[in-house]
Amino acid sequence: MEFRGKTFALRPFVDFTHIFESYKATVTDTSGTGYTSTADESFGLTLTTFGIAVSWFTGLELEKLEKMDDKLDRIERKIDDQKKSATPPQL
């Protein structure tokens, strides 16, 4: 979805991110007792981001297009005027 004007645009967005990590740690006692401990841990995180991306245009392209449109309008008027003057009057 996009909301657009002549020189700007607004784009709303939603982003979902899920991060999951799992850790396993083993610790052994080195003093000779032979004690070993193991730990399992997992961590999950879900992020939801809402936002609006905003963009704007400098207007240079639009200005050039408007100038071209004006030139085309003048050419069309000249052609129409020539056609009107070349048409013989009807009796």
Side-chain angles (χ1 to χ4, degrees), residues 47-66:
L47 301 171
T48 304
T49 307
F50 300 94
I52 297 177
V54 180
S55 62
W56 64 93
F57 314 107
T58 60
L60 295 176
E61 297 85 5
L62 183 61
E63 186 177 318
K64 288 180 183 179
L65 288 173
E66 286 176 349

